[in-house]
Amino acid sequence: MQSKLILQFIKKKYLKMYIKELPAYEGKEVTLRGWVANRRDSKGLVFINLRDGSGVCQCIAEAGKISENDFEQAGKLSLESAIELTGTVVKDERQIGGYEVHVSKLTVIQLAEEFPIAKKEHGIEFLMDNRHLWLRSQRQWAILRIRNTIIYSIHQFFQKEGFVQMDAPVFTGNACEGTTNLFETDFYGSPAYLSQSGQLYGEAMAMAFGKIYTFGPTFRAEKSKTRRHLSEFWMIEPEMAFYDIHQNMDLIEDFLHYVIRQVLDNCQNELKLIERDTSVLESSLKKFPRLTYDEAVAIIKGEKDVNGQNSIRSLEKELAEVEAKITELEAEIAEREARLAEPGMKKGEINFNQNKIATMKNELKDYEESRRNIPQWIESAKNFQYGNDLGGSDETVITRLFDVPVMVYDWPHEVKAFYLKRNPDNPRFARGVDVLAPEGYGEIVGGGERETNEQMLREKIIEHQLPMQDFEWYLDLRRYGSVPHAGFGLGLERLVTWLCKLKHVRESIPFPRMYGRLLP
Ligand code: 4AD
Ligand code: MG
């Protein structure tokens, strides 16, 4: 009690009051500081939507209830101006957050210049160029708060499970995931690579601490623009001594269940803001199907159905629906455009129609993208060559059939990394596991059980044309107390993208780095 009073006193003294705390201050006078997210005037009233990072609330300045000067200032506030205001907290269920503030005093901290991001629809390149400002929008705010909850719950899960967080270096001397996408840099005159994965170091640390996880930035030179690839992303990599592939899969499932549960429990507001239909997140709390590579291939090629659904036939059906939707949208856009061209429409109506057309055109773009993609998915699914790695479109094809992540394990060893253990009963297969997220998202986790046999590893290192001397330290782990062990890597941005159902991974990280994008 005492400490609560002191806290309130401190808050008053330093005016550290946030919008999310308003419910505790009903009927009281508070001071808030923030930015103008919106302003609208109506006879003798100025409505300000104030944004302070913790939330948004409507603040009303009424002529006569504040000084003339303050009222005049309120009427001139531009979008994103910084202000401080004092007022009384009033409950109003119709408002965002359920409360509004009746302003008694207002101070302008800075009157903003015309904000480049207006309320109208902008193109993605424009928004990306203005990422430093775009972050302030409600949608971006919500996504990145969900990202924060995910990060926090990842630490909670592993710490509760007795894992130790250990950091792997960012400058590395050897490749972990093949040499094709390494970023080379200069390390005092010698080449060094930015880390592609902390795994090899994770294995060494697991032999010292039993169960560890790394959580760090990861770099891959992916010279193509896809909606799944970043050049810099964050990866969580647990590594566990004495775990086999099956225990690894149990852990992945418990871990993802935990994170999804936390997001559902703590981010309802944010999920609503981004209009995320959470039914697939709820259904993902059940057991994840575990398919061997062979089973996954049969499903992709349409040789095996899932819950009565066939991959190829369901895609063909969807293509027909998409085509119908496109025809419908095109007709409606044409009709509205024709009406706009006629004289006599009121200004409000014109605006309404123009906005409606812009929204429909965006929708149309999505459908047109599906119309381009679906036939390609069908083609590549039909022609999938047994023995190949799954490509992005194969992952899309299989995961659209499930309402829960699926795990694919036991892969042809040729397509997987050098460090994976072979299935002792069938050495054609390596004990890797990929977790594919539903709704077409595809791979979010890659991992597996590690090879413990030094000779096998040496052969694989040669086969992958990797410089043996750089791996001697890693091979030491097989000479001194080698034990069965396993681990995995979760791409944070891939998880955020799926949980928020984003179209592209670029919105899942504050400042994305990808092919063609280094600024801001
Ligand atoms: O499947 P990957 O390549 O696995 C590894 O790096 C292992 N060494 C992990 C381990 O076992 N410790 O990458 C793991 C995950 C992928 O499943 C994906 O989620 C993410 O990292 N990822 C990317 N995310 C965004 N952009 C990229 N370019 C990514 N490449 C991989
Ligand atoms: Mg992978």
Side-chain angles (χ1 to χ4, degrees), residues 289-293 295-296 299 304 398 402 406-409:
R290 298 180 188 187
L291 312 169
T292 61
Y293 170 86
E295 290 168 318
I299 292 170
K304 189 180 161 184
I398 189 167
F402 291 90
V406 292
M407 306 208 232
V408 180
Y409 69 102

Side-chain angles (χ1 to χ4, degrees), residues 416-430:
K416 286 287 175 191
F418 78 94
Y419 50 70
L420 287 174
K421 187 182 171 67
R422 300 292 181 85
N423 179 340
D425 301 324
N426 193 346
R428 276 175 45 229
F429 297 107

Side-chain angles (χ1 to χ4, degrees), residues 177 220 389 395 416 419 433-434 443-447 489 494:
E177 296 300 321
R220 295 195 189 176
D389 199 358
E395 290 175 7
K416 286 287 175 191
Y419 50 70
V433 54
D434 277 11
E443 182 185 342
I444 52 172
V445 168
R494 295 266 182 98

Side-chain angles (χ1 to χ4, degrees), residues 307-494:
N307 307 323
Q309 265 189 292
N310 179 278
S311 65
I312 311 283
R313 280 197 299 279
S314 64
L315 282 171
E316 285 165 349
K317 185 166 161 247
E318 188 171 341
L319 184 59
E321 284 162 10
V322 162
E323 272 161 358
K325 197 73 205 174
I326 287 174
T327 313
E328 191 185 305
L329 273 169
E330 279 173 347
E332 195 175 340
I333 290 170
E335 193 198 312
R336 278 183 199 271
E337 276 174 343
R339 263 193 281 149
L340 272 175
E342 284 165 18
M345 197 179 267
K346 287 203 195 92
K347 200 171 160 231
E349 244 180 303
I350 293 176
N351 274 341
F352 176 81
N353 274 302
Q354 280 172 340
N355 276 334
K356 193 93 193 162
I357 290 170
T359 313
M360 283 193 297
K361 280 191 173 163
N362 266 338
E363 249 181 88
L364 191 61
K365 264 193 217 141
D366 289 348
Y367 283 113
E368 282 167 347
E369 200 186 324
S370 299
R371 183 167 65 181
R372 280 193 303 276
N373 285 338
I374 296 174
Q376 290 174 20
W377 294 338
I378 295 174
E379 269 315 287
S380 81
K382 279 184 179 163
N383 299 328
F384 185 86
Q385 288 293 316
Y386 180 89
N388 283 355
D389 199 358
L390 300 192
S393 62
D394 308 312
E395 290 175 7
T396 302
V397 168
I398 189 167
T399 58
R400 286 160 66 96
L401 300 171
F402 291 90
D403 64 349
V404 55
V406 292
M407 306 208 232
V408 180
Y409 69 102
D410 271 4
W411 295 72
H413 73 90
E414 299 87 352
V415 301
K416 286 287 175 191
F418 78 94
Y419 50 70
L420 287 174
K421 187 182 171 67
R422 300 292 181 85
N423 179 340
D425 301 324
N426 193 346
R428 276 175 45 229
F429 297 107
R431 307 233 88 169
V433 54
D434 277 11
V435 179
L436 311 179
E439 302 175 280
Y441 278 89
E443 182 185 342
I444 52 172
V445 168
E449 188 175 338
R450 319 306 185 191
E451 183 57 78
T452 48
N453 181 300
E454 186 186 338
Q455 202 43 46
M456 292 279 272
L457 275 171
R458 284 192 187 276
E459 281 165 25
K460 270 284 175 190
I461 290 169
I462 292 166
E463 190 186 310
H464 285 248
Q465 297 180 314
L466 295 165
M468 188 67 73
Q469 72 279 6
D470 293 344
F471 289 86
E472 288 298 337
W473 71 265
Y474 178 69
L475 294 166
D476 268 356
L477 305 175
R478 275 55 176 179
R479 289 196 281 263
Y480 307 107
S482 180
V483 299
H485 62 291
F488 64 88
L490 167 86
L492 175 65
E493 289 74 18
R494 295 266 182 98

Side-chain angles (χ1 to χ4, degrees), residues 150 154 236 255-256 259-260 444 490-501 508:
I150 293 172
I154 287 168
I236 298 90
F255 164 58
L256 286 174
V259 175
I260 297 168
I444 52 172
L490 167 86
L492 175 65
E493 289 74 18
R494 295 266 182 98
L495 182 63
V496 175
T497 301
W498 169 50
L499 294 186
C500 294
K501 204 170 180 179
S508 67

Side-chain angles (χ1 to χ4, degrees), residues 94 154 275 422 442 514:
R94 291 162 309 170
I154 287 168
E275 298 175 328
R422 300 292 181 85
M514 51 198 190

